[in-house]
């Protein structure tokens, strides 16, 4: 495991960032871009960069993928602080957070199936899912048993300033409705897990792909109801294929190869608005990282949700 040195003394104002891949397959170029952006933002701020494996959704987890991701990051010269957090080992923490929300009346049981929701109000939420109509919000109907637990959301606009995308506004009730915290299959939802984990790791700045931009208001609402600190947010443009689809296992994104070294990292930096000089691109990894940390500016990152990098992808 690679461990970066931490500054001594109080960490009250220390920048603490993180990279949190899901082990659904090998690290591809889109994930590498997110790793590079979050890493450089932390290192350029003289802060700490942490790793977390987000395997809370066990159905999507591929055996061995987490170890493969860590090996790939090491091969590219990434250095992280402390132990790697693994979500599947933190179920008690999510259970405790849900219990608090239940006791406070912020979460309620839901008996609705996906088919029932679709039949009742077939509207799409901002993230492409089904907008929940609030059927079980007043309480479970007679004879119905809870399948899941949902978070109550307000009917008013929530806003935050994203360091890349600018001001973001969302009415949670109109955009997503009361959202899932504990699924019908007994697994905790990403929205709850990520909020609990960021707080536990003391994360002060989240730098990640813009595919998660629409999830951020839900996470901020959870932070407020759980009395947790809110980190700053910066959502980088995601890498898409020629069809405009985000690179992923589903779109057959190929794995990045650390043996390509500086050339692949230079392509990721170019995608993020930082053109690497040819002599640095052709040189050693340590020299590229030194140049990139000194050159990094979040203000140079394109304020777009997705980009097809026709001239950025490595051969």
């Amino acid at each position: 495991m690679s461990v970066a040195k931490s500054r001594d003394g109080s960490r009250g104002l220390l920048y603490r960032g993180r990279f949190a891949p899901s082990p659904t397959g090998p690290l591809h170029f889109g994930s590498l871009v997110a790793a590079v952006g979050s890493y450089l933002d932390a290192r350029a701020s003289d802060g700490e960069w942490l790793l977390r494996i987000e395997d809370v959704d066990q159905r999507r987890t591929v055996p061995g993928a987490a170890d493969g991701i860590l090996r790939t990051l090491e091969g590219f010269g990434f250095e992280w602080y402390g132990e790697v957090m693994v979500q599947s080992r933190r179920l008690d923490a999510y259970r405790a957070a849900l219990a608090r929300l239940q006791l406070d009346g912020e979460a309620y049981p839901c008996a609705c199936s996906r088919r029932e929701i679709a039949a009742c109000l077939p509207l799409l939420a901002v993230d492409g899912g089904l907008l929940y109509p609030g059927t079980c919000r007043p309480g479970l109907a007679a004879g119905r048993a809870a399948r899941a637990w949902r978070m109550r959301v307000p009917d008013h606009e929530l806003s935050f300033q994203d360091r890349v995308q600018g001001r973001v506004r969302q009415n949670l009730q109109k955009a997503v409705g009361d959202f899932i915290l504990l699924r019908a299959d007994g697994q905790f939802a990403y929205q709850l897990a990520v909020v609990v984990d960021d707080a536990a790791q003391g994360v002060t700045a989240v730098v990640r792909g813009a595919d998660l931009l629409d999830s951020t208001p839900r996470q901020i609402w959870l932070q407020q109801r759980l009395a947790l600190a809110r980190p700053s947010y910066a959502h980088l443009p995601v890498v898409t294929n020629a069809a405009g689809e985000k690179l992923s296992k589903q779109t057959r994104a190929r794995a990045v190869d650390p043996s390509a070294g500086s050339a692949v990292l230079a392509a990721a930096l170019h995608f993020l608005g930082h053109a690497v000089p040819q002599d640095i691109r052709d040189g050693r990894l340590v020299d590229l990282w030194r140049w990139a940390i000194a050159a990094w500016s979040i203000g140079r990152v394109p304020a777009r949700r997705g980009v097809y990098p026709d001239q950025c992808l490595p051969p």
Side-chain angles (χ1 to χ4, degrees):
M1 180 184 70
S2 299
V3 181
K5 294 180 180 179
S6 172
R7 296 186 298 183
D8 293 330
S10 173
R11 296 179 181 174
L13 298 177
L14 178 66
Y15 180 113
R16 194 171 254 203
R18 49 78 162 175
F19 177 54
S22 297
T24 57
L27 195 75
H28 55 71
F29 186 71
S31 296
L32 181 66
V33 165
V36 167
S38 63
Y39 184 70
L40 289 177
D41 207 57
R43 295 297 301 273
S45 300
D46 195 24
E48 296 173 349
W49 188 70
L50 294 79
L51 279 183
R52 179 166 73 233
I53 298 298
E54 294 195 335
D55 61 347
V56 69
D57 190 344
Q58 286 291 293
R59 294 185 306 176
R60 298 178 61 238
T61 296
V62 175
D67 289 339
I69 289 171
L70 298 183
R71 286 194 300 270
T72 299
L73 291 173
E74 284 188 318
F76 277 115
F78 287 89
E79 297 180 331
W80 56 88
Y81 174 79
E83 297 297 323
V84 178
M85 178 177 280
V86 180
Q87 284 187 332
S88 58
R89 302 172 187 168
R90 290 183 43 77
L91 301 185
D92 286 345
Y94 311 145
R95 194 172 293 112
L98 177 60
R100 175 173 176 177
L101 294 170
Q102 291 168 334
L103 288 172
D104 290 344
E106 303 285 357
Y108 64 88
C110 177
C112 300
S113 67
R114 182 178 176 85
R115 179 177 298 179
E116 289 170 329
I117 296 170
C120 179
L121 188 69
L123 298 178
L124 289 181
V126 68
D127 57 4
L130 292 174
L131 185 69
Y132 185 65
T135 307
C136 295
R137 186 183 253 235
L140 294 178
R144 299 300 302 272
R147 291 169 48 86
W149 282 83
R150 291 184 179 273
M151 182 72 188
R152 296 181 189 274
V153 299
D155 184 15
H156 65 72
E157 186 176 84
L158 188 153
S159 70
F160 68 97
Q161 185 68 26
D162 190 86
R163 295 169 58 212
V164 174
Q165 305 295 335
R167 177 62 60 179
V168 177
R169 298 177 173 84
Q170 187 183 102
N171 182 307
L172 286 171
Q173 194 173 107
K174 292 180 171 59
V176 294
D178 296 341
F179 57 90
I180 291 287
L181 298 174
L182 182 66
R183 300 184 337 198
D185 61 4
Q187 296 196 64
F188 289 97
Y190 163 77
Q191 307 296 350
L192 179 65
V194 70
V195 165
V196 172
D197 290 344
D198 280 342
Q201 290 187 295
V203 171
T204 63
V206 173
V207 180
R208 61 188 181 188
D211 54 314
L212 293 169
L213 184 63
D214 291 327
S215 291
T216 306
R218 276 169 278 180
Q219 293 165 24
I220 291 174
W221 179 243
L222 277 170
Q223 290 159 2
Q224 291 177 4
R225 308 323 294 168
L226 289 168
L228 301 175
R230 180 201 299 191
S232 66
Y233 288 96
H235 286 86
L236 312 173
V238 297
V239 183
T240 70
N241 59 21
E245 302 168 319
K246 173 193 167 186
L247 291 190
S248 66
K249 178 182 177 182
Q250 287 71 32
T251 56
R252 299 182 180 180
R254 65 176 182 264
V256 288
D257 184 358
S259 67
S262 297
V264 180
L265 291 176
L269 278 158
H270 185 69
F271 180 87
L272 291 171
H274 294 68
V276 181
Q278 190 63 48
D279 59 327
I280 300 295
R281 178 189 292 263
D282 295 338
R284 302 179 305 165
L285 278 174
V286 64
D287 295 326
L288 183 142
W289 281 124
R290 186 179 297 114
W291 176 90
I293 291 168
W296 176 256
S297 170
I298 198 76
R300 294 166 64 180
V301 176
R304 298 172 60 185
R305 289 207 178 195
V307 179
Y308 173 53
D310 52 347
Q311 294 181 344
C312 297
L313 281 171

